[in-house]
Amino acid sequence: MLRSVKGLKDILPQQASQWQHIETVARTMATQYGFSEIRIPIFEFTELYARSIGGTTDIVEKEMYTFPDRDGSSLTLRPEGTAGVVRAVLEHKLLDSPATRKLFYFGPMFRHERPQAGRYRQFHQFGVEALGIDDPLIDVEVVVLLWQFFLTLGLKDLTLHINSIGTLADREIFIHKLKDYLSPKLSTLCGNCQRRYSTNPLRVLDCKVPMCQEATQDAPILIDYLSDHSNVHFQSVLDGLRSLEIPFSLNHRLVRGLDYYSRTTFEITSPNLGAQSTIGAGGRYDGLFQALQGPSTPAIGFAVGLERVTLLLSEDITCKTAPLVFVAGFGEIGKPTAFKLLHTLRQSGIRADIDHKGKTLKALLRSADKLDADYTIILGDDEVSSGNLILRNMQTKSQEVLNIKEITQRIHKGL
RNA sequence: GUGGGUGUAGCUCAGUUGGUUAGAGCGCUGGUUUGUGGAGCCGGAGGUCGCGGGUUCGAUCCCCGUCACUCACCCCA
């Protein structure tokens, strides 16, 4: 039997309404916070990601779905959304209007990782980007939107971690200090961290191995090495969060994986997800525009892993659907008459369905029940000859005889 | 890429200390007398016991390999 590709998941009808609910909440809230939707392509030139995410990150080094186009140019299925948004913003000069500086997006992302709980090769993200705004209050707005989004969905026990990783210059100074500190302890670190020491020393700080955590207990803290500018900005962000009574946890070990992050970084975690506990994360990326040959532009955004959100959502949360009317037509004349009525109902905007297979009233009612119909219209030969039909409320079992002409009107009035 | 766990019906799982036709619940489907759903009752369909090899008179069960799924490392949303 043919199967789906490893790490890819079908969203079946039962779960689809849950996804619709999440998307509706996301769209509504992002719009309330002044963001507009942007839809960008699923693949781009490989160079875009290599330049933005960082050539030495795992994503670019070994997780991208990269393939040659027919003319030989290298294309890549998007592993995240920010790079594409920034590219589109530069290409269409969206920075020129204040109406297009706050954007949100939705859609599938692709990373060739080993699948695991909450981790897939095709996964979906909802993300926002606020571009060209340096004010710390925009940081607050973005973090609050993320926080409120999860609260609105009813997620519990979440923690908002926040940190500032400073500018590139701030980090250079800090990394130097950190290496000085780690250097004598190198032999006590795990193998991974010994490698990280030279490739990405910041990562040693959030290693889960107890030995490493112990070794970094008294390590220098990034915040202490922030420039005045970075520090003032960060303190303003925290003050803003406090003023809105958003609970947060300062986490000076919080590091981001993508090269373009700077200054404010944040992450929201849930204890109920296993190893992949981050459901949403983001931060500032003031240097990204320049890395893509655009004008120097401060920016901040976040991305939410929607599969992880669905794992936390209670299953009974679904989109409300309109009441369903099942048309049970049977008999020589009843069936064709019912089919015409079905068409009329649908044209009137009513959600209506039929079972072509069912021959007897019993079978048809059973189908109505299986489809979870709210009402069934019973229409047999007897009804056709009398010019009436029966409207049955499936829940209360009450029935009333109606004129065929009245039915649409009747249903529109609230059934 | 590395390691652990698991593969029996559509789903959730029993089971066989190796022995004839492999079970349950749920789901699906038919009937329960002729025009009224859900419940009950009675019936039915559906499985190469992941795949390949080995041991054996005999393997779904033991051994080896392989694939798939899954969890964790790594990384990240």
Side-chain angles (χ1 to χ4, degrees):
Chain A
M1 186 172 56
L2 238 41
R3 341 176 91 266
S4 70
V5 176
K6 183 197 274 284
L8 274 53
K9 289 274 174 286
D10 297 306
I11 296 172
L12 301 176
Q14 249 192 329
Q15 303 147 336
S17 61
Q18 193 181 49
W19 279 83
Q20 286 165 15
H21 177 245
I22 294 172
E23 286 167 14
T24 301
V25 171
R27 259 180 239 284
T28 305
M29 292 192 65
T31 306
Q32 277 173 352
Y33 278 69
F35 291 81
S36 310
E37 181 167 2
I38 184 168
R39 302 194 185 194
I40 52 171
I42 294 213
F43 55 85
E44 303 264 2
F45 289 115
T46 303
E47 188 188 357
L48 172 67
Y49 301 116
R51 289 231 301 254
S52 60
I53 297 170
T56 61
T57 58
D58 277 16
I59 294 180
V60 171
E61 273 187 341
K62 45 194 187 194
E63 294 177 1
M64 295 206 302
Y65 282 93
T66 296
F67 56 97
D69 201 351
R70 286 169 185 271
D71 67 1
S73 51
S74 180
L75 304 177
T76 293
L77 255 34
R78 62 184 186 194
E80 57 99 42
T82 302
V85 170
V86 169
R87 192 229 81 229
V89 162
L90 287 171
E91 188 169 334
H92 302 287
K93 309 205 178 346
L94 298 186
L95 285 172
D96 290 351
S97 162
T100 48
R101 285 182 200 149
K102 290 168 76 178
L103 302 169
F104 75 90
Y105 63 85
F106 257 114
M109 307 295 166
F110 306 86
R111 294 182 198 173
H112 188 102
E113 299 180 278
R114 191 82 172 262
Q116 184 181 328
R119 194 170 77 181
Y120 312 96
R121 290 185 175 179
Q122 175 179 331
F123 60 103
H124 295 79
Q125 288 190 331
F126 156 55
V128 313
E129 317 289 355
L131 313 168
I133 310 166
D134 188 56
D135 195 298
L137 289 182
I138 191 67
D139 300 37
V140 177
E141 275 190 79
V142 167
V143 172
V144 170
L145 170 55
L146 180 61
W147 182 253
Q148 294 296 332
F149 170 61
F150 292 138
L151 289 195
T152 303
L153 287 174
L155 304 190
K156 301 266 191 317
D157 306 321
L158 303 180
T159 306
L160 165 61
H161 303 270
I162 192 160
N163 190 23
S164 174
I165 58 171
T167 62
L168 207 57
D170 297 342
R171 250 173 292 155
E172 266 175 33
I173 298 168
F174 173 72
I175 287 173
H176 197 72
K177 293 281 178 196
L178 182 62
K179 281 183 139 180
D180 284 350
Y181 170 86
L182 290 174
S183 160
K185 299 170 183 273
L186 209 50
S187 56
T188 65
L189 299 180
C190 71
N192 260 318
C193 284
Q194 297 195 15
R195 177 177 54 78
R196 286 173 178 136
Y197 175 81
S198 44
T199 58
N200 193 354
L202 287 181
R203 277 277 165 211
V204 178
L205 291 176
D206 67 351
C207 182
K208 289 166 193 158
V209 177
M211 276 191 330
C212 299
Q213 297 209 339
E214 206 174 311
T216 55
Q217 198 75 46
D218 304 314
I221 292 171
L222 187 40
I223 296 183
D224 296 339
Y225 294 84
L226 295 183
S227 62
D228 286 350
H229 182 71
S230 294
N231 193 42
V232 166
H233 182 95
F234 186 51
Q235 294 309 322
S236 303
V237 173
L238 299 184
D239 285 344
L241 289 173
R242 287 189 194 104
S243 75
L244 300 183
E245 295 176 24
I246 305 294
F248 61 84
S249 162
L250 271 180
N251 184 345
H252 61 258
R253 288 166 186 264
L254 177 62
V255 173
R256 304 273 67 222
L258 284 56
D259 279 2
Y260 56 60
Y261 283 110
S262 61
R263 295 201 282 173
T264 310
T265 56
F266 53 93
E267 186 168 303
I268 291 180
T269 59
S270 163
N272 307 317
L273 268 183
Q276 312 300 322
S277 59
T278 302
I279 54 175
R284 276 206 165 265
Y285 47 94
D286 298 329
L288 180 55
F289 275 81
Q290 279 182 302
L292 297 177
Q293 292 169 331
S296 170
T297 308
I300 181 167
F302 68 66
V304 174
L306 296 179
E307 276 79 2
R308 294 181 187 177
V309 172
T310 64
L311 292 174
L312 290 173
L313 225 48
S314 53
E315 284 169 18
D316 51 330
I317 292 179
T318 52
C319 264
K320 290 182 203 89
T321 48
L324 173 66
V325 176
F326 183 88
V327 183
F330 56 102
E332 286 292 309
I333 320 164
K335 198 169 173 187
T337 308
F339 191 65
K340 279 194 274 183
L341 175 61
L342 175 73
H343 180 64
T344 307
L345 291 170
R346 287 172 171 169
Q347 289 214 301
S348 313
I350 289 165
R351 183 173 158 239
D353 207 355
I354 203 170
D355 171 16
H356 299 287
K357 221 177 92 187
K359 296 271 187 282
T360 63
L361 178 55
K362 180 191 267 298
L364 289 166
L365 275 167
R366 198 177 299 140
S367 299
D369 190 56
K370 293 267 160 60
L371 293 173
D372 202 24
D374 298 278
Y375 295 88
T376 297
I377 289 172
I378 298 172
L379 190 48
D381 290 351
D382 294 355
E383 282 72 24
V384 175
S385 49
S386 70
N388 291 321
L389 48 72
I390 298 167
L391 177 64
R392 178 181 176 85
N393 181 317
M394 295 300 282
Q395 208 177 359
T396 65
K397 294 177 149 183
S398 66
Q399 300 190 163
E400 42 190 318
V401 178
L402 292 172
N403 187 292
I404 291 185
K405 295 242 165 84
E406 305 173 326
I407 187 66
T408 305
Q409 197 183 0
R410 175 73 180 71
I411 287 175
H412 265 271
K413 269 195 284 186
L415 296 141

